[in-house]
Amino acid sequence: MKKLIFILILTLFATVISFSQVPFSSNLNKAIPDVMNNIRILDVFSNNAYTVNLDSFPVFFGFPVTYTGYNYEGGIYCNMDSDPELEIVYSLAYTIYALNIDGTPVAGWSKTVSSYPIDGAPAFGDIDGDGSEEIVVTNHGATSGGYIHAFKKNGSVVPGFPINHGYSSRTPVLADLDNDNKLEIIVNKRIYPLGEVWVYKGDGTVYPGWPKSMGHVPASSAAVGDIDNDNIMEIVAESYTGLYVWKANGDSMPGFPFMMPNGDVNSYSSPVLVDVDNDNKKEIIFGTHVSGGGGYVYILKYNGTIFPNWPKYTSYWIYGPPAVGYIDNDNILDIAVGDQVMSATPVDKLYAWNVNGVSLSGFPISSLNAINIQVLLADIDNDNQTELIIDDNSAPGGQGQYLAFNHDGTPVSNWPIYTNGSSFYVNPCLFDANRDGIIDMTGGGMSTSPQQTTIYIWNLQSPYNAQKMYVPMFQFNPRHNGVYGDLYLTNIKPVRNEIPKTFSLEQNYPNPFNSSTIIKYNLPKSTDVLLVVYDITGKNISTLVNAYQNAGIYEINFEANNLTSGVYFYKIITDKFTETKKFILIK
């Protein structure tokens, strides 16, 4: 196996794609690993040598690829064409790259924008209601000016775009505010010393009731969800000095804006929306920083009051959005975040608390380099436990890394994963790229001389477990709405290319089942879909789907490895249809 991986990785490094197409030494195929299976590789871009361990995870054939420009908040995975494999999309400098899993460009891509570089990750969703998603990005100048761009999956420009919007920072957010099956675009606007939040429709026109003013410059991307359970979306946005919430029509929510009480301010830590106390209303979680040092993590209720036992203090600044999921398998939601300070020595920490404010055993993990991303939470090694993946701002000799830790704070075996250039700022994504049931990860490293980003897809060599995929990408999904549980899961797949005539939830098969079973459902129209599993007492065991899905026939594999034998139920809820089925687990 080692020999096979060795040959594969030698081939991969020898075929790294870049503008020059010759980034590594031609003597690579003569390399012999040492007794620990390490080899030395010379990168002719920087003339630096790197040590690579061949026991680490193989890189997809055709990767890594290297392009000019920097990346902030990572890329996304999505389906850009008619084949079953997923594609990845990254924004670097002035260009958006859409890549197949063999490293080749998707037909019609890349796309280059003019005037200003792109800031933040691309967003992906159906903004014009034609049943096919679009790519949306923003770009801006050094102090003012900028546009909102939208492209069809074939690379053509969406009518009404680009929008001459002005300075909008970070990642655009997509959400359907009026239930018309068309996603609106939510962005901020910097008008120093003030800020605004704008909403645009998919035809480029301004949504009624917007824009809305903030008392300081915008601090991050927004989050969008129904926080008060009235079936109307709210928009949650941050200025440097406060947190604002408005109804979809622009009316301000009672209790907001919330002004931080500890002399702290907001930068980049986009809010996250999640029901932490099971009252059917979503709380708002976000991180801050104090100019003189330190930071805070807040949980706010929908009325602007602080949740009991919060905020929690961190030693240094928080830039990444909080990550939410079940880390220690005690059925209490947990929150993870990393802090950062630029230091010559590793002094930063990775924190994890449950929603009651109790620090998890093994946390915080100390003596780390600065962390900027939203921590990924998922089972990446098939142990039915949750692992945490972070970036790292160091790059000794030009080599960066992603680190992974177990639920108890110990390092994960076979990690870190190394990158050419620092992984800092590049939020990775976990997905099943080629639909083979094995988890994959895309991420990258940024180098300064020259300014470039190297993009990878790694095979993590472990089964893809949708039930343990809590934070697979920046802000949970390619629409970046910041809603916990609203995932873009790659094991939910259309069964056939046809549109059913009626809604239905089919009986799982096999039934009874041992450990895993298939659930199939039919959607005659595009709709929000909630598919949950609960036990005989009514306790929610697992949320299998919480996403907007196009019309079609779908199936999902439910894994019940951590459940005991017994009777369970699965229920689907859409805009027009609800149904429940019973199934039996026998071990």
Side-chain angles (χ1 to χ4, degrees):
M1 182 63 181
K2 287 184 178 179
K3 183 176 180 181
L4 176 61
I5 295 175
F6 174 52
I7 294 171
L8 174 62
I9 294 181
L10 291 184
T11 304
L12 293 172
F13 276 116
T15 58
V16 170
I17 300 174
S18 73
F19 290 135
S20 64
Q21 199 70 30
V22 287
F24 290 106
S25 169
S26 61
N27 292 324
L28 183 59
N29 59 355
K30 300 178 183 178
I32 297 175
D34 67 10
V35 295
M36 294 302 294
N37 220 25
N38 296 314
I39 60 171
R40 290 288 283 170
I41 297 174
L42 180 66
D43 177 8
V44 299
F45 280 141
S46 61
N47 203 33
N48 290 321
Y50 308 102
T51 299
V52 175
N53 184 266
L54 299 181
D55 289 327
S56 61
F57 304 106
V59 182
F60 270 51
F61 183 81
F63 286 88
V65 297
T66 301
Y67 298 110
T68 297
Y70 287 158
N71 172 268
Y72 300 98
E73 297 184 341
I76 60 172
Y77 60 84
C78 56
N79 199 330
M80 292 286 288
D81 51 29
S82 59
D83 63 38
E85 291 84 12
L86 296 173
E87 288 71 46
I88 58 173
V89 184
Y90 281 82
S91 299
L92 305 175
Y94 294 83
T95 304
I96 312 159
Y97 298 93
L99 302 172
N100 295 300
I101 60 173
D102 61 0
T104 59
V106 174
W109 296 80
S110 58
K111 307 303 297 184
T112 298
V113 301
S114 61
S115 303
Y116 309 105
I118 300 167
D119 191 28
F124 178 77
D126 185 4
I127 64 173
D128 56 7
D130 66 352
S132 181
E133 299 89 346
E134 287 77 38
I135 292 288
V136 180
V137 299
T138 63
N139 66 340
H140 65 75
T143 58
S144 64
Y147 296 85
I148 301 170
H149 301 266
F151 300 93
K152 296 285 189 181
K153 289 198 282 190
N154 63 8
S156 61
V157 176
V158 176
F161 292 84
I163 301 169
N164 187 359
H165 169 74
Y167 189 118
S168 177
S169 61
R170 296 297 178 171
T171 299
V173 175
L174 307 182
D176 186 359
L177 299 182
D178 52 8
N179 296 313
D180 66 349
N181 294 325
K182 300 175 184 178
L183 299 178
E184 279 69 51
I185 304 168
I186 298 93
V187 294
N188 59 47
K189 185 174 183 178
R190 182 184 178 113
I191 312 172
Y192 187 81
L194 302 177
E196 295 177 338
V197 176
W198 287 67
V199 179
Y200 290 95
K201 302 181 73 171
D203 60 3
T205 59
V206 178
Y207 193 80
W210 297 85
K212 308 303 293 186
S213 296
M214 296 190 292
H216 211 293
V217 297
S220 70
S221 301
V224 184
D226 180 10
I227 67 172
D228 58 358
N229 197 32
D230 65 351
N231 296 315
I232 299 173
M233 289 286 193
E234 283 80 38
I235 294 176
V236 183
E238 297 175 346
S239 76
Y240 187 62
T241 54
L243 185 138
Y244 295 74
V245 182
W246 298 276
K247 289 287 187 183
N249 64 3
D251 290 345
S252 184
M253 280 281 286
F256 294 94
F258 172 83
M259 314 308 288
M260 285 79 72
N262 298 298
D264 44 337
V265 292
N266 295 313
S267 287
Y268 313 123
S269 181
S270 300
V272 168
L273 310 181
V274 55
D275 181 5
V276 303
D277 55 3
N278 296 313
D279 66 349
N280 294 319
K281 298 179 175 66
K282 291 181 173 62
E283 281 68 47
I284 304 166
I285 310 177
F286 64 106
T288 67
H289 62 93
V290 180
S291 295
Y296 292 89
V297 178
Y298 290 86
I299 301 181
L300 299 184
K301 296 182 73 67
Y302 73 97
N303 58 9
T305 59
I306 299 177
F307 200 73
N309 301 320
W310 294 83
K312 311 305 292 187
Y313 183 74
T314 60
S315 298
Y316 300 107
W317 292 8
I318 298 171
Y319 273 6
V324 179
Y326 293 97
I327 295 176
D328 58 359
N329 276 2
D330 64 355
N331 291 320
I332 301 175
L333 274 173
D334 305 305
I335 298 167
V337 72
D339 64 6
Q340 65 155 325
V341 65
M342 297 297 103
S343 170
T345 58
V347 297
D348 296 285
K349 298 182 179 70
L350 175 59
Y351 301 82
W353 308 271
N354 66 27
V355 294
N356 299 318
V358 178
S359 185
L360 300 193
S361 178
F363 292 86
I365 302 169
S366 59
S367 301
L368 301 173
N369 292 296
I371 302 167
N372 185 81
I373 68 166
Q374 185 175 30
V375 180
L376 299 191
L377 301 180
D379 180 5
I380 60 173
D381 57 7
N382 199 35
D383 64 351
N384 202 36
Q385 301 284 348
T386 300
E387 286 76 47
L388 302 87
I389 299 174
I390 63 171
D391 62 342
D392 182 290
N393 79 312
S394 68
Q399 188 179 43
Q401 59 185 355
Y402 289 106
L403 303 174
F405 297 94
N406 292 301
H407 67 284
D408 59 2
T410 59
V412 176
S413 299
N414 295 325
W415 287 69
I417 288 179
Y418 294 104
T419 59
N420 182 11
S422 172
S423 64
F424 201 45
Y425 295 109
V426 187
N427 224 107
C429 302
L430 298 170
F431 65 129
D432 182 4
N434 52 3
R435 305 300 184 101
D436 64 353
I438 303 299
I439 190 169
D440 306 306
M441 186 174 96
T442 181
M446 296 193 294
S447 304
T448 57
S449 298
Q451 293 184 359
Q452 61 186 27
T453 300
T454 301
I455 300 169
Y456 299 79
I457 302 180
W458 296 275
N459 182 323
L460 298 190
Q461 300 181 308
S462 185
Y464 182 93
N465 184 353
Q467 283 74 53
K468 296 285 289 185
M469 193 70 58
Y470 300 119
V471 186
M473 69 168 72
F474 177 75
Q475 286 295 73
F476 301 101
N477 55 63
R479 287 170 282 120
H480 308 297
N481 61 14
V483 177
Y484 168 77
D486 189 353
L487 302 178
Y488 187 71
L489 298 176
T490 61
N491 76 330
I492 304 171
K493 56 186 179 181
V495 179
R496 296 186 297 274
N497 290 325
E498 62 181 79
I499 305 301
K501 294 181 179 180
T502 60
F503 285 101
S504 67
L505 177 66
E506 299 185 14
Q507 188 65 50
N508 66 298
Y509 62 92
N511 185 45
F513 67 100
N514 182 0
S515 296
S516 67
T517 187
I518 299 294
I519 298 172
K520 186 182 294 185
Y521 55 95
N522 299 321
L523 306 177
K525 63 182 287 289
S526 299
T527 180
D528 289 309
V529 178
L530 179 66
L531 180 63
V532 297
V533 175
Y534 57 94
D535 64 17
I536 199 166
T537 69
K539 178 182 177 182
N540 188 333
I541 298 299
S542 181
T543 299
L544 303 182
V545 184
N546 187 354
Y548 181 86
Q549 292 185 301
N550 292 326
I553 302 171
Y554 292 85
E555 67 177 31
I556 181 170
N557 184 53
F558 172 59
E559 299 283 349
N561 296 322
N562 60 337
L563 299 180
T564 59
S565 297
V567 175
Y568 295 87
F569 302 87
Y570 58 99
K571 181 177 184 179
I572 190 170
I573 301 173
T574 74
D575 294 342
K576 303 292 184 181
F577 174 75
T578 298
E579 189 170 350
T580 302
K581 298 281 188 181
K582 178 174 72 175
F583 56 174
I584 301 173
L585 172 62
I586 299 177
K587 291 188 174 180

